[in-house]
Amino acid sequence: MNKIKIDVKVNSIDISKEVDANTLLVDFLRYDLKLTGTHVGCDTSQCGSCIVMINNKCIKSCSILLAQCNNSIITTVEGLGKEDKLHKIQESFKENHGLQCGFCTPGILFSALELAKDKDIKSDHQIRDFLDGNLCRCTGYHNIVKSIKNYLNKDN
Ligand code: FES
Ligand code: FES
C-alpha cells in the first residue's frame, strides 16, 4: 500500500503522520486518534452520523480520504465543547432533550452549526429540510428540531 504524509490540525492539535493512501478520514479519527465520538452508521454516505467540520464546513467523514484533507483544520465533537463548558448548540440539545441514544447527535450538532450560518432558515420545515442528510434511528426529530430552533433564537 502506498504511504503518504499528511499534516492536519484536529481539534486544535497539529498532527503529522504517514498513513496508507486509502485511509478514510473516519477511520483515521476513530482508530488512529481514538476520537470515537464520530460514528459510523451506514458507511454509504446516507446517515450523517460521521459528519465533522473540515475548514468550518460539514463533511461526511466516511466518504472522504484523509489524503483529501491534507493541510486542513478538522473539528470533531470532542473539539466542540468541553466537559465543564458545553458549546451552546450542545447546551440547547441538553435543555430540550434533543437526543435519545445519542448515536446521531455528533453529526446533527455539526449540521445544526452549518444550518445556523444561513440566517434565512428559521421554520421547522426549513430545519427538517436541511437535516435531510442526517438520520436519527431513535426518530427523535421533534426535539432535535426544537433544540436547533432554540439555538437559532439565541444570540449566537
Ligand atoms: S457513516 Fe457516514 S453517512 Fe453514514
Ligand atoms: S438519538 Fe438515537 S439515533 Fe438519534
Side-chain angles (χ1 to χ4, degrees):
M1 176 57 58
N2 285 346
K3 297 272 186 191
I4 51 153
K5 167 140 182 312
I6 56 104
D7 294 287
V8 284
K9 196 186 270 286
V10 181
N11 299 338
S12 305
I13 296 170
D14 287 318
I15 296 168
S16 216
K17 237 181 152 173
E18 197 160 276
V19 296
D20 289 342
N22 65 353
T23 303
L24 284 172
L25 174 60
V26 70
D27 290 335
F28 179 68
L29 295 172
R30 287 181 57 82
Y31 301 117
D32 284 62
L33 304 186
K34 312 292 183 215
L35 295 171
T36 53
T38 302
H39 296 150
V40 179
C42 68
D43 228 355
T44 50
S45 200
Q46 293 173 62
C47 75
S49 301
C50 65
I51 290 177
V52 297
M53 285 274 192
I54 302 180
N55 297 333
N56 210 28
K57 271 204 72 62
C58 279
I59 300 283
K60 289 181 173 172
S61 61
C62 72
S63 306
I64 187 167
L65 294 171
L66 178 59
Q68 295 171 274
C69 309
N70 200 15
N71 298 315
S72 297
I73 296 172
I74 299 167
T75 309
T76 71
V77 71
E78 290 88 348
L80 202 50
K82 304 204 179 349
E83 239 171 79
D84 55 348
K85 184 153 179 38
L86 295 177
H87 187 285
K88 282 183 186 171
I89 186 68
Q90 292 169 312
E91 271 174 10
S92 190
F93 271 67
K94 189 177 167 191
E95 284 163 13
N96 292 281
H97 308 288
L99 61 139
Q100 292 174 59
C101 78
F103 193 86
C104 68
T105 312
I108 289 186
L109 293 175
F110 284 117
S111 290
L113 293 178
E114 180 95 38
L115 174 161
K117 291 182 200 165
D118 184 342
K119 300 295 175 205
D120 291 332
I121 297 183
K122 290 187 172 68
S123 72
D124 287 20
H125 179 76
Q126 287 172 309
I127 294 171
R128 283 176 185 270
D129 219 39
F130 195 92
L131 292 180
D132 194 32
N134 290 87
L135 301 179
C136 173
R137 52 191 175 181
C138 298
T139 68
Y141 294 105
H142 180 77
N143 283 355
I144 289 171
V145 172
K146 196 172 152 199
S147 305
I148 294 174
K149 227 172 154 181
N150 175 72
Y151 173 74
L152 296 178
N153 288 333
K154 284 186 179 168
D155 190 22
N156 294 303

